Amino acid sequence: MLSLWVTPPDVGSGAVHAALLVDSAVLLLEQEIRDGSERYQGLQELFPAAARMQRAAADLCGVRADAPDQRPWLRHTAWTSDEAPLARAPTSGPESGSAVDDYSFVRVAGDGVHEIPVGPVHAGIIEPGHFRFSVVGEKVLRLEERLGYVHKGVERRFTELDPLEGHRLAARICGDSTVAYSWAYCQALEALAGLQVPVRATWLRGICLEVERLQNHLGDLGALGNDAGFAFGLAQFSRLKEELLRVTESVFGQRYLMDVVVPGGVAIDPSADVIARLSSVLRDIAARVRLLRDIYDDHSGIRDRFAGAGVVTPELARQLGLTGLAGRASLQLRDLRADAPWSPYHALTPTPCIRREGDVAARVAVRFDEVAESSRLTRAFLSDLPDGPVTAPLALPREPRLAIGLIEGWRGPVLVALEITAAGRIRRCHVHDPSWQNWPALEHAIISNIVPDFPLINKSFNLSYSGHDL
Amino acid sequence: MIKTLRTIVGIGIVSELPPAQDDTLRVREALQQEVLSVLGRALCIRHVDAGSCNACELEIHALNNPIYNIEGLGIRFVASPRHADMLLVTGPVSRHMLTALRRTYDATPDPKLVVAVGDCGCNGGIFGTSYATVGSVSAVLPVDVAVPGCPPSPVRLLQGILTAIRQSVGDRTLKAL
């Protein structure tokens, strides 16, 4: 399952939508909802990841699923259980949301069991979320996540924007995946308009997406070394990442590629000489990373920390619907770039990088493999970059429509479902991060590991809070 | 081991000189002198994400890389607000982070500085003020320096931090070299 969302009946015809990936096609299921008090059949037994999506839909739209867990998920105290921000704006004063609610965590009882609450403010420079560990000694019996701290009202904000401006908000949903989100948004918008994007623009978008993948993988590989006590790794990889950020800025005018993907194409048409420079920097970085991989592989301390930590077996991964990079480290053979290639990936298709062990070491290995593959792919894009314009004018149809954008970002598939009204306004824009599928898997991965290994295991997934909390 | 050492020696020192302070980023005049007299050159920063999209965090991370080398200036990111002299706050302040942000501020010992980071931290950015967001850090805490940008570059961030503590570390480092 890719995603589940609700359009509340208050804003037109209400419906529950579920998007499924069947082979290389998206199957969109819809059930009409006439009245907000109507319940729909929950999908949590077929797709466990649906449970939280249904709870979030209840929080935001006021439409509930028939499911055992009726606790709020994204809602803390900024609005009440009677209010539904996507149906109508909650009444809020300056102090709204400042109260602390009493969320009913699942309690683990027994001799010597105690709880460790962590967050929302964590020890490092990372996003906020709450983790409740139930432990005996150092061993974790159970982890329960509580998210929603960075809920910013993104989906309501979309309905206030012009569809041709929405890509700017999409770019700021999850800063580390700005290309994936803005591309998915633009893909949906372009599908609504029936627009064929110029081929040079799609190739440049492909380059941006791969550069984003490389930036994140380099950052993660350094941070993972550091979490295993190998500061050398952080120093080396963060230096390489900085080098990549600087050359990215020289090509696209931005270190992180905010607002480069725009409706109808891309905002910048780089010249031939900066393209050549990017290509040579990528070759250098790939060579450096090969050396660093040898160092990581030869380091007994690193091997000891990585191997066998935070295992998600292929069987569990299949049941939970583990997706994207973490899925590929647990033998889930899915990479949309290869399975359902869109332009430019049908011209140059990457080889999916797969491992079966499902531990931290496997997620590190997939990142190393993908750095090599992405830099090869990007250089191939750069050397065969077609000529032509980089934008095309876009006109929206004057009828209500729904379209889906789907992009394999560095973390996994990012989905945008965009619904417009006859007046050309956004009626509903649902955005979905792969972290929705993978956060629950982290709760399983940590079981029987020790508390001090949590930062390492968590980092090996590197899931998004902002993209999830919306 | 030999590969590790060879890499370290081969690359050498890549750190660049820090930027000069920029007084246009300053929004409040109080406190600095008091903080400086207590701190000298050392400064401990606690970062708080109050609803950021994570882009600002990526650039804050970059301050720790060998090129910006913030630790080389005596400035460190710490794990607890109780160890901190400065809060570096990102995001449009989601309402669900209001309490955590206030408690973090209260847990930071006086005298303390607050630097708001990014367009969202300065004025709510594209998220603005809504049922879910307060709209700027200054609506919740007294802000000393605000660093705009989406996201601000590490150089701008460093400028903001140095401005808050009124240090032209750049000049001093130049002389020391």
Side-chain angles (χ1 to χ4, degrees):
Chain A
M1 186 170 79
L2 288 166
S3 182
L4 179 146
W5 70 99
V6 168
T7 305
D10 316 63
V11 296
S13 56
V16 185
H17 308 265
L20 309 177
L21 189 65
V22 183
D23 296 325
S24 62
V26 177
L27 176 65
L28 185 62
L29 305 175
E30 253 185 64
Q31 184 190 330
E32 197 184 336
I33 301 268
R34 288 202 189 79
D35 173 356
S37 61
E38 213 175 291
R39 290 205 175 193
Y40 61 92
Q41 176 63 48
L43 297 179
Q44 69 284 346
E45 274 163 35
L46 285 171
F47 306 105
R52 287 178 180 175
M53 299 178 210
Q54 291 163 181
R55 288 164 66 190
D59 291 341
L60 296 174
C61 305
V63 181
R64 291 182 174 273
D66 231 343
D69 192 347
Q70 293 289 337
R71 291 177 296 171
W73 179 241
L74 293 183
R75 179 175 64 81
H76 296 190
T77 56
W79 67 100
T80 67
S81 60
D82 304 332
E83 293 177 304
L86 291 183
R88 69 200 77 76
T91 48
S92 56
E95 283 304 304
S96 296
S98 62
V100 176
D101 62 349
D102 188 18
Y103 184 77
S104 54
F105 286 96
V106 175
R107 283 280 149 84
V108 180
D111 249 6
V113 178
H114 65 283
E115 284 189 351
I116 307 176
V118 179
V121 179
H122 298 299
I125 303 170
I126 53 171
E127 300 181 82
H130 183 89
F131 300 113
R132 187 66 60 97
F133 297 94
S134 299
V135 300
V136 167
E138 284 211 310
K139 196 162 142 187
V140 178
L141 297 178
R142 184 189 157 87
L143 160 66
E144 188 171 354
E145 296 152 358
R146 173 136 205 239
L147 303 175
Y149 289 93
V150 284
H151 177 71
K152 293 185 277 292
V154 165
E155 295 191 327
R156 181 164 186 92
R157 186 81 184 101
F158 266 119
T159 63
E160 298 160 1
L161 295 176
D162 187 283
L164 296 177
E165 286 294 316
H167 66 286
R168 295 192 60 251
L169 180 57
R172 286 159 180 80
I173 289 169
C174 175
D176 55 49
S177 302
T178 176
V179 176
Y181 274 88
S182 45
W183 194 354
Y185 179 87
C186 290
Q187 203 181 43
L189 194 69
E190 286 147 9
L192 286 173
L195 176 76
Q196 193 78 36
V197 179
V199 58
R200 183 174 171 88
T202 67
W203 283 57
L204 285 168
R205 286 177 176 184
I207 291 165
C208 290
L209 190 68
E210 295 311 316
V211 165
E212 182 168 275
R213 193 180 315 277
L214 287 165
Q215 290 173 348
N216 281 290
H217 284 2
L218 292 176
D220 285 353
L221 287 167
L224 282 158
N226 198 48
D227 279 348
F230 194 42
F232 165 85
L234 180 63
Q236 296 299 326
F237 277 105
S238 61
R239 187 185 73 86
L240 290 179
K241 183 178 177 184
E242 180 68 24
E243 201 175 323
L244 180 58
L245 287 167
R246 287 182 176 192
V247 72
T248 308
E249 188 178 18
S250 73
V251 178
F252 293 104
Q254 298 251 21
R255 287 160 61 85
Y256 290 96
L257 296 161
M258 296 260 177
D259 305 327
V260 171
V261 178
V262 296
V266 290
I268 285 165
D269 191 2
S271 65
D273 52 322
V274 292
I275 284 174
R277 229 187 102 224
L278 175 59
S279 193
S280 89
V281 168
L282 285 174
R283 196 173 43 241
D284 270 10
I285 288 177
R288 280 269 169 204
V289 170
R290 272 197 301 279
L291 286 173
L292 291 171
R293 184 176 199 169
D294 283 347
I295 292 176
Y296 270 37
D297 284 348
D298 289 348
H299 195 289
S300 55
I302 286 211
R303 275 211 307 266
D304 181 48
R305 291 291 302 279
F306 284 3
V311 175
V312 180
T313 61
E315 176 55 20
L316 181 64
R318 196 187 55 74
Q319 286 171 6
L320 295 177
L322 195 70
T323 188
L325 179 148
R328 290 193 287 278
S330 294
L331 204 62
Q332 304 305 297
L333 316 174
R334 285 214 182 280
D335 185 332
L336 292 171
R337 295 174 299 160
D339 304 341
W342 65 98
S343 179
Y345 293 102
H346 43 54
L348 288 162
T349 307
T351 313
C353 307
I354 309 286
R355 296 278 150 156
R356 65 156 34 245
E357 301 81 7
D359 55 1
V360 173
R363 289 183 283 277
V364 168
V366 169
R367 284 183 171 91
F368 271 120
D369 290 343
E370 290 191 353
V371 166
E373 184 61 8
S374 272
S375 65
R376 182 195 69 80
L377 193 67
T378 315
R379 279 183 289 131
F381 283 143
L382 288 165
S383 69
D384 291 340
L385 192 62
D387 289 327
V390 296
T391 47
L394 187 146
L396 284 175
R398 289 286 158 186
E399 54 183 289
R401 271 193 203 167
L402 165 72
I404 303 247
L406 186 60
I407 296 291
E408 181 87 30
W410 71 268
R411 198 180 267 121
V414 168
L415 178 139
V416 171
L418 181 62
E419 239 182 296
I420 55 162
T421 66
R425 302 290 303 173
I426 297 178
R427 188 170 83 181
R428 178 86 171 86
C429 181
H430 172 71
V431 285
H432 179 93
D433 193 272
S435 303
W436 280 96
Q437 277 89 338
N438 292 0
W439 273 118
L442 177 64
E443 292 184 342
H444 289 267
I446 184 69
I447 294 173
S448 292
N449 285 260
I450 57 172
V451 179
D453 268 347
F454 180 71
L456 178 69
I457 294 169
N458 189 22
K459 188 74 208 176
S460 74
F461 284 89
N462 193 8
L463 303 176
S464 173
Y465 300 70
S466 183
H468 169 282
D469 293 353
L470 296 175
Chain B
M1 192 65 190
I2 200 76
K3 281 185 199 158
T4 309
L5 293 173
R6 196 179 294 149
T7 308
I8 293 172
V9 173
I11 289 168
I13 294 170
V14 293
S15 302
E16 295 175 353
L17 291 178
Q21 55 168 299
D22 178 357
D23 281 328
T24 60
L25 300 174
R26 193 190 304 279
V27 292
R28 208 168 72 112
E29 279 299 329
L31 273 181
Q32 277 93 349
Q33 209 42 55
E34 192 187 346
V35 175
L36 282 183
S37 62
V38 176
L39 299 179
R41 278 188 67 179
L43 180 78
C44 291
I45 303 178
R46 174 64 242 182
H47 154 258
V48 184
D49 175 335
S52 154
C53 75
N54 201 28
C56 289
E57 279 62 33
L58 295 173
E59 291 295 37
I60 293 172
H61 269 291
L63 292 174
N64 277 321
N65 77 28
I67 291 153
Y68 301 108
N69 188 21
I70 194 168
E71 287 208 15
L73 305 175
I75 303 172
R76 245 168 21 99
F77 286 91
V78 292
S80 166
R82 297 191 194 284
H83 307 157
D85 314 301
M86 174 190 285
L87 295 182
L88 201 58
V89 187
T90 61
V93 188
S94 65
R95 292 184 184 275
H96 291 164
M97 277 302 288
L98 251 179
T99 303
L101 177 59
R102 284 192 179 130
R103 286 185 182 171
T104 305
Y105 182 79
D106 291 342
T108 310
D110 283 318
K112 52 195 160 193
L113 297 162
V114 176
V115 175
V117 170
D119 286 350
C120 296
C122 292
N123 58 28
I126 196 164
F127 303 102
T129 304
S130 75
Y131 78 91
T133 53
V134 176
S136 72
V137 179
S138 59
V140 186
L141 301 180
V143 170
D144 296 283
V145 164
V147 186
C150 189
S153 67
V155 171
R156 285 301 271 171
L157 287 169
L158 206 46
Q159 258 178 337
I161 293 166
L162 296 177
T163 304
I165 55 174
R166 284 186 190 275
Q167 290 236 31
S168 284
V169 185
D171 301 343
R172 198 177 298 180
T173 316
L174 266 175
K175 277 177 214 147
L177 286 173

